[in-house]
Amino acid sequence: MLSTPPALIAVVGPIEPPLLAAWVRHYRRLGVERFLIAFHFPEHVTDQLRHELQAASRELGIIPTGTSTGPWHEHTNTQLRDALRHRAGPGWHLLADADEFQQYPAPLSEVIAQAEKSGHRVVGGLMLDRIAASGHLTGWRPEGGLDLAYPLGGHLTHRLLRGDPRKIVLARHDVTVASGNHRAPGQHPDADRICAVHHFKWRSGVLDDLRRRVQHFSTGAWQEQTPAVRNEASRLLSHVDRHGGVINTSDPRFAFRGVSLDRMPFTWPSEACGIVTAWRPHVAHRPGSETMSAPSDSSSRKE
């Protein structure tokens, strides 16, 4: 049995302070005791928001390891994350963005013990995109909570954005993890034990963030390794433009349904295993297109 909980590693951008507080509470409930976070603020972020977030972090008992400002190049997050992992040292690392709330089928200690027993050096997750019942990209009230504000969960990243919905949620300290925590080269998570990563990205303000990302990557102000991130943003923007400013919750491809952080969807193990084992990068189309290739039925596993 694991004696030391995993260190949580995260690079945090300009989110609202209540989201940071909810995120910390969530992972403390999972048993996390050590948080290694670094803030990164692009040029448009106000001094007031920077100060509010730094103060909120300290009020939560977390001293940020570092704060940086400037362009959010595609490599920025990876460099900051890896510096945090080096500082965290030996053991297991829990990797989570500040809008990702991981949900496990068992206590963290048991999840890690099972991974070690079966010879796995990573634990995998799958994004479950959370949105408002109306499909609007709305704000939320801390007293109501995220589950109330964004009760639907589905596969927006996978089916619409054509992004990689897989996540490495736990990794041994000496395992290299790729950009975005999507895979660990040479490592294969147990596809029968996939964590649900509740993805609360689709909130008020995200459309401005996506437009900024497209503009900066397109002009070269922010450096990109491939156009994938920019194209994913363009697909979401194109979708909401075609649907009156909302996400189309009735599209069966997205499989939106009521979910909760308190209870995993009953069908999650088989659903997640099917997606993780069949996932392949989509064939490139023009960025705004919503044409989707059918999911593969292959069970061969990718890194």
Side-chain angles (χ1 to χ4, degrees):
M1 186 63 70
L2 185 74
S3 59
T4 303
L8 191 154
I9 309 295
V11 179
V12 179
I15 60 173
E16 60 272 32
L19 182 63
L20 180 66
W23 182 81
V24 169
R25 287 195 300 269
H26 174 79
Y27 285 102
R28 281 184 170 149
R29 283 195 295 268
L30 293 186
V32 173
E33 299 172 358
R34 188 181 180 202
F35 290 77
L36 284 86
I37 71 172
F39 287 114
H40 183 76
F41 299 119
E43 304 92 324
H44 69 276
V45 179
T46 65
D47 289 342
Q48 179 179 349
L49 179 55
R50 287 203 302 267
H51 295 153
E52 287 177 355
L53 270 169
Q54 290 165 335
S57 177
R58 288 178 168 82
E59 288 174 5
L60 291 163
I62 299 171
I63 305 301
T65 300
T67 299
S68 60
T69 59
W72 203 309
H73 304 304
E74 192 171 350
H75 61 259
T76 297
N77 191 290
T78 304
Q79 291 177 344
L80 293 172
R81 180 206 65 193
D82 288 349
L84 293 172
R85 295 193 67 197
H86 178 75
R87 187 182 183 99
W92 283 82
H93 298 165
L94 189 155
L95 309 175
D97 293 342
D99 57 9
E100 295 175 354
F101 288 56
Q102 297 169 6
Q103 184 182 42
Y104 291 87
L108 270 176
S109 59
E110 294 181 20
V111 170
I112 292 174
Q114 176 60 40
E116 291 183 331
K117 181 180 179 181
S118 60
H120 289 90
R121 298 169 63 79
V122 297
V123 174
L126 181 72
M127 283 189 178
L128 184 62
D129 292 289
R130 299 291 299 268
I131 66 168
S134 64
H136 286 88
L137 291 96
T138 64
W140 63 289
R141 301 176 69 87
E143 58 270 25
L146 291 162
D147 269 344
L148 182 63
Y150 309 104
L152 300 183
H155 301 297
L156 196 70
T157 296
H158 175 35
R159 300 295 188 199
L160 174 62
L161 275 60
R162 302 199 212 103
D164 189 344
R166 306 168 303 168
K167 284 281 185 171
I168 299 297
V169 293
L170 291 162
R172 291 286 301 176
H173 70 277
D174 53 355
V175 170
T176 298
V177 178
S179 174
N181 304 334
H182 292 294
R183 63 189 187 93
Q187 305 295 325
H188 301 283
D190 186 345
D192 294 320
R193 298 175 183 272
I194 297 296
C195 159
V197 181
H198 292 255
H199 190 212
F200 290 99
K201 179 173 183 174
W202 313 112
R203 314 183 315 280
S204 176
V206 72
L207 295 182
D208 288 339
D209 289 340
L210 295 180
R211 294 186 185 102
R212 188 179 300 111
R213 180 176 297 180
V214 170
Q215 178 186 8
H216 289 340
F217 280 143
S218 298
T219 62
W222 293 1
Q223 298 169 15
E224 61 183 9
Q225 297 168 327
T226 74
V229 173
R230 171 162 45 102
N231 290 347
E232 290 172 24
S234 295
R235 290 183 186 109
L236 191 285
L237 292 169
S238 179
H239 175 85
V240 297
D241 283 347
R242 279 194 289 270
H243 292 279
V246 304
I247 294 169
N248 181 11
T249 61
S250 63
D251 192 321
R253 294 172 296 185
F254 306 148
F256 281 118
R257 72 280 202 189
V259 297
S260 168
L261 287 168
D262 293 330
R263 184 175 58 188
M264 263 190 163
F266 178 73
T267 60
W268 184 256
S270 59
E271 177 182 354
C273 180
I275 293 175
V276 166
T277 57
W279 189 87
R280 299 293 183 275
H282 287 266
V283 177
H285 298 285
R286 61 185 179 84
S289 171
E290 280 191 55
T291 302
M292 302 181 194
S293 59
S296 168
D297 292 327
S298 170
S299 61
S300 61
R301 298 184 182 183
K302 298 283 282 185
E303 291 180 353

